[in-house]
Amino acid sequence: MSTPVPVPAAPPRCAVVGVVGRTNSGKSTAVNCLVGEKVSIVSPVVQTTRTPIRGILTEPRGQLVFLDTPGLHKAEGHLGTLMNRMARQAAANVDVVLLVIDGSCEPQIEDDGWMRRLALSGQPLLILLNKADRAPFHEAVYRELWEAVCREKGVTREVVWLTASAVTGSGMEAVVDALFAHAAPSEELLYPEDVVTDYPRKLAIADVIREKLFARLHDELPHEIAVRVDTIDEAGGDWTVSATILINRPSQKGIVIGEKGRTLRAVKRAAEPEIGEMFGVRAHLDLWVKAEKEWMKNFFLLRQLGYIGDL
């Protein structure tokens, strides 16, 4: 009897996926759903995601590294312009592009802008019509817009259309399948199997605090708020995190602190358990509020906050 010849295992397929689209299209929710853990903060506030965040999905087929980029929007001020530039740069340096569109809304100028840019790009392109759990749903309108853009540009561009809901998870398995189909064989994984993000922990903690501030303050002044984690004092399973909340004017302090400190206490109560769960520790926050005039134009502060640096 002949001995069966072992079949060599297929090499893992790997890809860096640029997740792009206009603000509030559901990019961060989609990345969290695809990775299976929260790696990006989520908020209806414009400019919630301010830095490219890597979420990593590893499974027997291989590895997908998601680059969750700031949402493209009509820039107002220096920070908005910086966010848009970061999004465009990140999209140009990936293996596959996943354009996330809010299918529950009719096309916006930013959707048109992304389609025009991506019609001429060289990477494989997947268009995810997100929020399929809502009605009305404008799939036909977006398909017509894409065809019109390609005609205008004089290009024939292969694209994979996907429909899903990142909130419910419906259709997201098909997104993973399509992305792996466009991933290339690799000799080894891009990241260790147990890593779900390479986002620096200080920036991750700052993002959690900022998310909780957004939830409390709504539209009062979120665009003028930033959070800088100054120190992390580790003592076994207990972490004491000291963070500074940056605002533009002294008059904004009262809004952030709240009457008798209620807003700041509420932010701490909401953020501490989430930070503790992220890192497997008990977290205690010391929050300070500092007025820093025009911090959004301060190169040194922007670098500290992670808004300037290598993508």
Side-chain angles (χ1 to χ4, degrees):
M1 179 182 293
S2 60
T3 303
V5 178
V7 178
R13 303 182 71 88
C14 297
V16 177
V17 182
V19 184
V20 303
R22 69 177 175 86
T23 189
N24 287 343
S25 60
K27 297 182 304 300
S28 295
T29 304
V31 169
N32 290 340
C33 181
L34 291 165
V35 173
E37 291 192 31
K38 182 174 179 178
V39 294
S40 274
I41 63 172
V42 178
S43 166
V45 177
V46 175
Q47 296 181 18
T48 297
T49 301
R50 291 179 176 172
T51 58
I53 299 169
R54 292 177 180 88
I56 303 161
L57 171 65
T58 304
E59 58 171 67
R61 284 179 286 186
Q63 195 171 71
L64 299 173
V65 179
F66 297 97
L67 201 61
D68 182 11
T69 62
L72 201 66
H73 59 285
K74 184 178 180 181
E76 296 181 3
H78 181 75
L79 183 61
T81 301
L82 178 63
M83 299 301 100
N84 281 347
R85 185 166 69 244
M86 292 173 70
R88 294 189 182 102
Q89 288 175 346
N93 297 297
V94 295
D95 302 314
V96 182
V97 176
L98 179 65
L99 172 60
V100 181
I101 288 173
D102 180 355
S104 68
C105 296
E106 293 187 356
Q108 306 294 311
I109 188 171
E110 295 86 359
D111 299 312
D112 182 90
W114 269 119
M115 287 187 174
R116 290 175 180 276
R117 174 174 291 270
L118 295 174
L120 301 176
S121 69
Q123 305 106 317
L125 173 62
L126 287 70
I127 298 180
L128 169 59
L129 293 169
N130 191 26
K131 306 186 183 181
D133 54 316
R134 300 184 183 181
F137 197 66
H138 303 279
E139 179 174 358
V141 178
Y142 281 101
R143 285 179 176 266
E144 290 169 5
L145 175 60
W146 173 254
E147 291 172 2
V149 168
C150 288
R151 283 196 302 270
E152 181 183 326
K153 298 291 184 182
V155 298
T156 301
R157 181 82 158 84
E158 288 189 10
V159 60
V160 177
W161 289 86
L162 299 154
T163 302
S165 168
V167 170
T168 66
S170 174
M172 295 303 285
E173 287 187 10
V175 178
V176 175
D177 292 341
L179 288 169
F180 270 116
H182 287 82
S186 175
E187 293 184 0
E188 58 184 18
L189 299 177
L190 302 174
Y191 289 88
E193 293 184 23
D194 58 345
V195 174
V196 295
T197 182
D198 69 346
Y199 199 44
R201 63 182 185 179
K202 279 190 174 183
L203 298 187
I205 293 171
D207 270 359
V208 171
I209 298 169
R210 190 159 54 88
E211 179 186 52
K212 306 314 176 190
L213 281 164
F214 282 10
R216 296 289 302 185
L217 299 176
H218 305 292
D219 293 325
E220 290 185 74
L221 69 156
H223 297 167
E224 299 188 358
I225 282 183
V227 177
R228 180 186 65 208
V229 172
D230 302 307
T231 62
I232 303 175
D233 184 10
E234 302 176 33
D238 294 303
W239 285 11
T240 300
V241 178
S242 179
T244 301
I245 300 168
L246 296 174
I247 54 178
N248 269 329
R249 298 183 300 277
S251 60
Q252 296 170 334
K253 274 191 176 182
I255 299 173
V256 176
I257 295 172
E259 185 179 358
K260 296 182 179 179
R262 290 195 182 107
T263 300
L264 219 52
R265 285 198 299 274
V267 168
K268 286 182 59 174
R269 284 196 301 269
E272 285 174 342
E274 187 166 320
I275 294 167
E277 184 177 350
M278 287 173 68
F279 297 99
V281 298
R282 288 183 296 274
H284 172 74
L285 288 178
D286 289 331
L287 299 179
W288 311 91
V289 182
K290 180 180 180 182
E292 191 74 50
K293 186 178 180 181
E294 295 188 333
W295 64 263
M296 290 175 280
K297 296 181 180 179
N298 186 315
F299 180 88
F300 178 71
L301 282 176
L302 289 173
R303 181 170 286 279
Q304 282 187 333
L305 295 165
Y307 300 163
I308 293 178
D310 296 333
L311 295 179

